Amino acid sequence: MATDLVQLSLDGPIATVVLNRAEKLNALNREMLSALERCADELERSQDTRVVLLTGTGKAFCVGADIFEWSDLSPLEMGRRWIRDGHRIFARYARLPQPLIAVLNGYTFGGGLELALAADLRLAAEGVQLSFPEVKLGIIPGWGGTQRLAQLIGPSRAKQMIFSGERLLAQQAEKWGLVNEVVPSDSDKLTQRALALAQQIAANGPVAVQMTKQLIDAGMAANGDAGLVLETLASSLASFTADAQEGVAAFRQRRPPQFSGR
Ligand code: COA
């Protein structure tokens, strides 16, 4: 199956999902979220697929939520639809029966990093930048970032990334355990490594691989979903502060924001 904005190809045991909105650096709009969900339907049903790769076209993996879409929503729409849709769809990717490998070909920011965090493994090309820039807009990561990042790299480093909004190079992200492997950025090396790893996993007993995925995830989820519920509420509120309006206006006007703390 393929849509314009998200493409799914099934090739024997390996499926590839490609975010395909290169001119907007694969920023996620509502149409892409729906397309991602339709791909998840298909992947969940696919008997043949043993490993799923998720990547982007152009110079970005994904630069996050489409600022021009969410900034026009009302507070209730924000919480009920935008945030909850993202949570549900990203959770479906996290819970795919097959291992999911995020193949980070370029900028991995905000919601793009949250989507990558829903994957089981992350491979990145050397030089790729990863960041949670939400605080620069006066908002907070709202698609699971506050929860999954801290679970993966620990609360202290998660706070450093989220509070500062600074960009981490893939090499540093690897040291922090955010990225499994960094691959030289020469053309096709990342794809070759992703395919080789996918083939290695696909050659193993699929039931054993899928059961171990679920066991590891069940062990990690001992705290339940309370953090995600809080994130939905906080993210909806934070998106309607004067600071969030200023952050979005500054992004639109390509100028530094002047935050007032309100
Ligand atoms: N939402 C919507 N559109 C976005 C976007 C986003 N998150 N990020 C980039 N775009 C668009 C830009 O508006 C631009 O569109 P245009 O060509 O029609 O003007 C296009 O994608 C290319 O982006 P541009 O900023 O010109 O590219 P760049 O290479 O100079 O900078 C980034 C790349 C990633 C540093 C910069 O785009 C950026 O900071 N994006 C915002 C990331 C962010 O804050 N994400 C969290 C969102 S909640």
Side-chain angles (χ1 to χ4, degrees), residues 118-177:
D120 299 297
L121 315 174
R122 282 150 293 280
L123 304 181
E126 200 172 9
V128 159
Q129 298 175 13
L130 300 93
S131 157
F132 274 113
E134 279 84 349
V135 291
K136 292 178 185 290
L137 296 166
I139 61 164
I140 65 177
W143 281 339
T146 61
Q147 307 301 300
R148 290 198 177 98
L149 184 68
Q151 280 166 8
L152 187 64
I153 67 174
S156 183
R157 283 176 166 160
K159 286 174 182 170
Q160 182 177 341
M161 269 194 92
I162 293 174
F163 292 172
S164 69
E166 73 186 353
R167 299 181 192 178
L168 222 60
L169 279 179
Q171 299 87 310
Q172 182 66 26
E174 184 186 24
K175 287 190 194 138
W176 281 14

Side-chain angles (χ1 to χ4, degrees), residues 25 37 58 60 70 77 94 105-106 134 139 149 156 166 168 178-179 196 199 202 208 210-211 213 215 232:
L25 306 180
E37 188 153 41
W70 66 253
E77 281 177 325
N105 54 299
E134 279 84 349
I139 61 164
L149 184 68
S156 183
E166 73 186 353
L168 222 60
L178 177 51
V179 156
Q199 280 156 359
Q210 293 182 18
M211 278 188 174
K213 168 171 172 165
L215 286 168
T232 302

